[in-house]
């Protein structure tokens, strides 16, 4: 199984990462469960949500939070903030960004599903600010595999919603650099740029058909899974 992850998180006891397509589409609940079983994580400990390209983040910091979460059926949101041990959460992506953000001591960890709409709604910045309401620890970030500026062509209406530093004009086409847009937001929220890690162009979900699902390339609902699990 190919997992794209950040060692800093693993070293803090947070098993996490984005699982490549070799295991199949994690949109299939059985495949998602198999992925967790093969990692030694009980699938029942992993919380899920219904992604809506918004800016809502679910916080699970106490047993009470967990009880409230379980008492409700439908959770429309695009991100997580966890601090409860033996608890995990997942999102699905197929071009959108899985953004991992955490306090340097590993107490608080966030995973958000940032499509271009989420980025425009400042979900990355909101995730950083939410952690900062809980702790004064320095924040660290990992921007997982997603569609990169080589492939993320947009029209003027979408480009106009992004800061000019994140918009690239090339061959009479317009591209958006989501890494850049997210880094700008995280910096604005007080995260040091040196603490933000992002993958190479080989981790563009659209270019790299061997390793990733891509909605833009394939037009299917297949998706890769990203998860966090606190030991
Ligand atoms: Zn690409």
């Amino acid at each position: 199984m190919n997992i794209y992850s950040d060692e800093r998180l693993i070293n803090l006891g947070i098993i996490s990462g984005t699982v490549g397509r070799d295991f199949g589409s994690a949109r299939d609940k059985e495949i998602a469960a198999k992925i967790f079983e093969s990692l030694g994580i009980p699938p029942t400990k992993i919380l899920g949500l219904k992604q809506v390209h918004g800016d809502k983040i679910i916080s699970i910091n106490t047993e009470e939070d967990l009880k409230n979460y379980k008492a409700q059926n439908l959770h429309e949101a695009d991100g997580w903030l966890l601090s409860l041990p033996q608890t995990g959460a997942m999102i699905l992506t197929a071009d959108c960004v899985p953004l991992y953000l955490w306090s340097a001591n590993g107490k608080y960890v966030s995973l958000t599903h940032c499509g271009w709409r989420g980025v425009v709604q400042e979900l990355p910045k909101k995730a950083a600010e939410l952690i900062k309401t809980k702790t004064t620890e320095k924040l660290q970030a990992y921007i997982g595999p997603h569609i990169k500026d080589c492939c993320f062509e947009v029209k003027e209406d979408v480009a106009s919603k992004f800061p000019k530093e994140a918009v690239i004009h090339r061959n009479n086409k317009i591209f958006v650099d989501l890494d850049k847009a997210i880094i700008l937001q995280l910096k604005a929220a007080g995260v040091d740029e040196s603490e933000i890690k992002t993958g190479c162009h080989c981790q563009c979900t659209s270019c790299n058909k061997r390793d990733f699902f891509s909605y833009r390339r394939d037009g299917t609902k297949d998706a890769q899974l990203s998860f966090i699990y606190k030991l």
Side-chain angles (χ1 to χ4, degrees), residues 150-151 204 207:
C150 42
C151 296
C204 170
C207 292

Side-chain angles (χ1 to χ4, degrees), residues 146-152 201 204-208:
H146 63 280
I147 190 167
K148 297 230 171 207
D149 62 304
C150 42
C151 296
F152 191 35
H201 277 87
C204 170
T205 48
S206 179
C207 292
N208 186 344

